[in-house]
Amino acid sequence: MGKDRSQKRHKLVKEEPTGLPSVKEMERECEINGADMAGIDTVMEKLSSTCLDDKEYGCAALSAYISSKDALNKLLDRNAVRLVTPLLQEKKVSLQLAASSLLRGMSEEGGFEACERMIRQDVFTGLTAVLRERVGIWQSSQMDVKSDGYLHSFVNCIYTVQNLCECSALAVRLSIEDSVPQVLLSVLNVEKYSATVLLAAAQCLYTLSEENQTVSEFLQQTSNSQTLTSLLRNDKVLLYTRVIIAGVQFNTYGFDVLSKESEDIILPLLLSALNIDTYDNLCDIVFNSDPSVSSPPTSTGACEMEQDDIGEEKHSTNLTEGSLRKDLEVLDNQLSAQKLSFEIITNLLAADDTEDWADIDADDDTSCGTADSDCMEDEDMEPLPDNSIATTLVDEGLIYTLRHRLHFTDSALYGKVANTDKLHRSALQSSLQRYDSMLASALLCLNNTLSQVKLDKFGGVQSLQSMLKLLLAALSTPQIVSQEMLVESITSAMRSLMEQLSANSENLSFDEEELNTLQKLIMAPHTATAVNALRCVTAVGVSLSKQSAPNPIVKAIGSLLLEVITTSKQLWLVTESLDSIMDVFAEDINNIYIKELGVISTLQEILPQLKTMVSKKDRTETHFLPVLATVKSNLPRFIKYKLKVL
């Protein structure tokens, strides 16, 4: 909950692990020279030393190895977690910090397998003990927690718990057993704890609250719910933290979240995050990251600008490493707030997807029943009537926000980052990737909005056509085309736009270059993108098939669909192509092309092959079951009907 269900778990942006200053340099050295596998054993001996300084050095040195999968596995093979975890409770602040940074880094770099192994090596006992102990000390004293030296290691422990819970159901269960949700909620106090602690606690609570009835019931308790609501209303709290709390509320209450006491703040909060011009902020940082800069790209590309003309810009032209890091931290929080806001809104707009589907592999004698012209009528896609949430969002300016956030990065911006000095390049590239990730979420939100909001709310057909041209233009940027997830999101939004336009216009068409772009995507290895592109082309065919005379483009589209049907080995793509060809040739006016292309004979030949493909399909692939069920039911009737009228 609180994110796009079809994608992997939303990875909330976190501050970098805090450790000794030398760790980054050691990591750079390892990237250049490769991890010294033999040196791991030597460094690990330091962890068993009686000298605390040796232990601290060992933790800091091992942090340089964890980016290497082989080295990380070797650390886990040597039970490094069992040696490091007890160091979290040492009184020496710098040792705690080094140990917590190492464990956090291992949980972030290692993925699912490493996290499971860390849990088996009893990392949770030490982590949760530190969290409970430190909170107990802070709550029982009048000390200034925000200046406590243990604060950074405490934050590292929270993020380590979150990383483990993102990868392991066992970690979630252990967290609940060790009262981690209670600990996290207790530190969500803006007066006592720093913004860094609040952000970490909110992120971890967000992860724990996802589809977890036990945590949801705990958070629904009156006092706890009031704590979260007060944070949503508190302008002193970092915007990103407040958006995460909104996500926690959505995880807790689901679609009922807007009927709770926080209903008047959640939607305005999410939209306020989306109204930040992060593209402008990104350009400011990128083009001001060194003295020799040009201005941010405009609609006609980048242009030169004298340094003296910059004046009092938000970012200075000669950023130091420290100021750049601070600017990027602010930008990354803004981008992450926008990404999560789009994902929450996407889920709020999502239709109920719990419909049960019949077993598509079961024999259905009625699927080849009597066919007549009625069963071949094309069912035009109609937008769902506006629901209350969609209406509220539109009234609050969602459509305007979507249009202004769909600002794709261009080659000039990518080129500037690529030519930036090495010191800044990696950080800037990371922010570019985060911006593109936010765009992917915005496109998914657009996709859901199109299905819930009537066409006139978008400004009519002409407005949708402008959006479509924008998305097509983005696919001409090489740096965008190379990003599989972003391209899938772009084509998914294009598909929804095309279906809306097809249902509302008979003049839908692409120029030759645009059709070639889509044809290349249909032949791309990424099946989801290929399906989206195929459906875009199909929408053109359906629109043109409604004209009073046959259109040669319909024949070309039919030929392309037949090529996919006869050559592709992907059941999903073949199924979508079969469904599409029935849509494109539903009208009898195009029967001439059915004869010329030999459509019916090809479909008759593919039926036995389709049955074989279905029998061999992966049972876990359920995302295209509705289309497959439709094809199984309608294809024999389509063939029978067309044989009758040809």
Side-chain angles (χ1 to χ4, degrees):
M1 304 293 283
K3 60 184 185 309
D4 169 38
R5 296 174 182 171
S6 67
Q7 306 297 336
K8 293 183 178 180
R9 184 186 298 275
H10 171 56
K11 191 75 170 179
L12 299 169
V13 62
K14 309 166 186 173
E15 292 186 353
E16 292 298 322
T18 307
L20 298 181
S22 60
V23 170
K24 282 190 176 181
E25 291 302 325
M26 297 173 70
E27 288 178 336
R28 292 192 188 106
E29 184 178 346
C30 281
E31 289 175 358
I32 296 173
N33 300 323
D36 180 9
M37 302 296 287
I40 291 179
D41 292 327
T42 302
V43 176
M44 282 196 62
E45 292 177 1
K46 299 289 185 180
L47 300 180
S48 302
S49 172
T50 57
C51 175
L52 296 184
D53 288 341
D54 285 345
K55 294 176 184 287
E56 182 179 341
Y57 171 81
C59 290
L62 289 176
S63 294
Y65 290 95
I66 58 178
S67 60
S68 165
K69 183 177 180 180
D70 291 339
L72 180 55
N73 285 333
K74 186 170 184 179
L75 285 176
L76 293 169
D77 291 341
R78 300 291 191 274
N79 289 317
V81 173
R82 293 190 184 277
L83 295 173
V84 175
T85 302
L87 303 181
L88 295 174
Q89 296 180 302
E90 290 286 351
K91 299 301 181 184
K92 187 179 181 183
V93 175
S94 58
L95 176 55
Q96 270 201 20
L97 183 57
S100 63
S101 296
L102 175 58
L103 292 174
R104 178 180 171 183
M106 293 175 70
S107 66
E108 289 182 346
E109 295 287 346
F112 291 92
E113 182 180 352
C115 286
E116 290 286 357
R117 295 183 68 184
M118 291 179 70
I119 295 169
R120 289 198 295 270
Q121 292 185 26
D122 202 24
V123 70
F124 249 91
T125 300
L127 289 170
T128 56
V130 167
L131 295 179
R132 292 195 305 270
E133 177 185 358
R134 187 51 48 189
V135 168
I137 294 173
W138 287 334
Q139 289 182 335
S140 62
S141 69
Q142 300 299 319
M143 65 180 296
D144 181 8
V145 177
K146 296 179 181 180
S147 62
D148 193 323
Y150 292 103
L151 200 63
H152 292 303
S153 59
F154 180 79
V155 169
N156 282 339
C157 288
I158 291 178
Y159 280 132
T160 304
V161 170
Q162 185 196 358
N163 292 335
L164 297 171
C165 290
E166 286 180 335
C167 296
S168 169
L170 174 59
V172 174
R173 180 171 63 81
L174 292 174
S175 295
I176 295 172
E177 291 176 356
D178 289 345
S179 303
V180 171
Q182 288 85 340
V183 171
L184 297 173
L185 197 64
S186 70
V187 300
L188 289 175
N189 184 334
V190 68
E191 302 300 332
K192 191 175 183 68
Y193 297 98
S194 68
T196 302
V197 174
L198 264 66
L199 178 60
Q203 289 176 333
C204 192
L205 194 60
Y206 175 84
T207 298
L208 287 172
S209 64
E210 184 184 23
E211 298 179 358
N212 192 310
Q213 186 64 30
T214 302
V215 176
S216 293
E217 290 175 355
F218 166 70
L219 295 176
Q220 287 175 20
Q221 295 174 15
T222 302
S223 60
N224 298 336
S225 179
Q226 290 175 346
T227 297
L228 296 177
T229 301
S230 66
L231 287 169
L232 287 173
R233 299 182 184 278
N234 195 332
D235 291 336
K236 294 181 180 179
V237 179
L238 186 71
L239 177 62
Y240 181 32
T241 301
R242 295 167 66 199
V243 171
I244 296 171
I245 295 298
V248 172
Q249 292 284 69
F250 183 68
N251 287 348
T252 302
Y253 295 105
F255 295 102
D256 294 331
V257 67
L258 298 182
S259 64
K260 304 301 177 183
E261 58 183 351
S262 57
E263 64 174 320
D264 64 330
I265 186 61
I266 287 184
L267 292 185
L269 171 66
L270 300 180
L271 291 171
S272 69
L274 298 181
N275 284 330
I276 300 173
D277 193 344
T278 46
Y279 182 78
D280 185 59
N281 294 344
L282 174 63
C283 289
D284 273 352
I285 294 174
V286 169
F287 283 85
N288 294 331
S289 57
D290 62 57
S292 54
V293 298
S294 57
S295 67
T298 64
S299 58
T300 56
C303 60
E304 297 298 323
M305 179 171 64
E306 294 295 334
Q307 184 173 340
D308 292 340
D309 293 335
I310 296 176
E312 297 295 327
E313 292 290 329
K314 182 184 296 184
H315 307 284
S316 63
T317 57
N318 192 8
L319 292 175
T320 64
E321 184 176 9
S323 63
L324 176 64
R325 185 185 300 114
K326 182 175 180 60
D327 283 342
L328 287 177
E329 181 182 341
V330 171
L331 175 63
D332 289 348
N333 282 336
Q334 291 172 344
L335 290 171
S336 297
Q338 289 185 337
K339 177 178 173 62
L340 184 55
S341 295
F342 275 126
E343 290 172 350
I344 295 172
I345 291 174
T346 298
N347 282 336
L348 286 171
L349 292 170
D352 187 6
D353 58 359
T354 58
E355 182 179 356
D356 293 326
W357 293 91
D359 184 357
I360 62 168
D361 294 327
D363 290 330
D364 184 359
D365 293 335
T366 64
S367 64
C368 295
T370 302
D372 53 35
S373 59
D374 292 338
C375 76
M376 287 298 104
E377 288 181 357
D378 181 42
E379 298 180 1
D380 290 343
M381 189 277 299
E382 295 182 359
L384 295 177
D386 293 342
N387 60 39
S388 58
I389 296 176
T391 300
T392 301
L393 285 166
V394 170
D395 291 342
E396 292 288 340
L398 176 61
I399 305 302
Y400 175 87
T401 299
L402 279 169
R403 286 174 176 167
H404 284 75
R405 289 292 74 79
L406 293 180
H407 195 149
F408 292 92
T409 48
D410 60 14
S411 297
L413 192 60
Y414 283 109
K416 178 64 177 71
V417 171
N419 293 323
T420 302
D421 61 278
K422 186 177 180 182
L423 180 66
H424 297 157
R425 189 185 310 139
S426 178
L428 292 173
Q429 287 174 336
S430 177
S431 291
L432 266 178
Q433 292 170 359
R434 186 163 283 118
Y435 180 84
D436 287 339
S437 179
M438 180 275 293
L439 278 180
S441 295
L443 289 162
L444 291 172
C445 184
L446 172 63
N447 194 20
N448 272 30
T449 306
L450 283 165
S451 67
Q452 296 291 335
V453 178
K454 293 179 180 178
L455 183 63
D456 60 344
K457 297 290 187 180
F458 280 89
V461 171
Q462 186 175 358
S463 178
L464 291 191
Q465 288 175 335
S466 297
M467 277 191 180
L468 184 61
K469 295 296 182 182
L470 173 68
L471 299 181
L472 279 166
L475 293 174
S476 65
T477 303
Q479 293 88 346
I480 289 179
V481 175
S482 65
Q483 299 181 62
E484 186 175 282
M485 192 60 65
L486 182 56
V487 172
E488 180 183 344
S489 299
I490 292 173
T491 54
S492 179
M494 285 175 54
R495 175 177 175 175
S496 293
L497 284 167
M498 293 293 295
E499 289 172 347
Q500 286 277 10
L501 289 169
S502 176
N504 292 278
S505 173
E506 295 185 4
N507 299 315
L508 184 62
S509 65
F510 288 140
D511 59 34
E512 185 176 352
E513 183 178 352
E514 291 168 341
L515 282 172
N516 288 338
T517 297
L518 289 172
Q519 186 169 354
K520 290 178 182 178
L521 291 173
I522 292 174
M523 302 304 175
H526 186 49
T527 308
T529 297
V531 167
N532 289 334
L534 183 142
R535 283 299 189 177
C536 289
V537 173
T538 299
V540 175
V542 171
S543 176
L544 295 178
S545 69
K546 298 174 184 177
Q547 295 179 346
S548 57
N551 191 309
I553 296 179
V554 173
K555 180 180 179 181
I557 291 174
S559 177
L560 174 61
L561 293 174
L562 288 176
E563 180 182 356
V564 175
I565 290 170
T566 55
T567 60
S568 177
K569 303 300 181 183
Q570 298 294 326
L571 177 59
W572 182 14
L573 189 57
V574 170
T575 301
E576 294 280 358
S577 300
L578 289 168
D579 190 52
S580 294
I581 208 163
M582 288 188 286
D583 290 339
V584 170
F585 291 114
E587 302 292 338
D588 287 342
I589 194 173
N590 292 306
N591 286 347
I592 183 175
Y593 297 139
I594 291 181
K595 290 181 179 179
E596 292 177 5
L597 294 172
V599 171
I600 299 304
S601 60
T602 301
L603 294 181
Q604 288 174 321
E605 292 174 3
I606 202 66
L607 273 175
Q609 300 175 33
L610 180 64
K611 185 175 181 180
T612 301
M613 293 176 74
V614 170
S615 67
K616 294 180 178 179
K617 81 175 184 66
D618 187 345
R619 290 278 179 173
T620 63
E621 295 180 350
T622 59
H623 49 280
F624 62 97
L625 289 186
V627 179
L628 188 53
T630 299
V631 169
K632 179 184 176 183
S633 174
N634 290 345
L635 186 58
R637 289 188 290 172
F638 176 85
I639 294 173
K640 186 175 182 179
Y641 171 74
K642 289 300 181 180
L643 285 173
K644 179 180 177 182
V645 299
L646 286 175

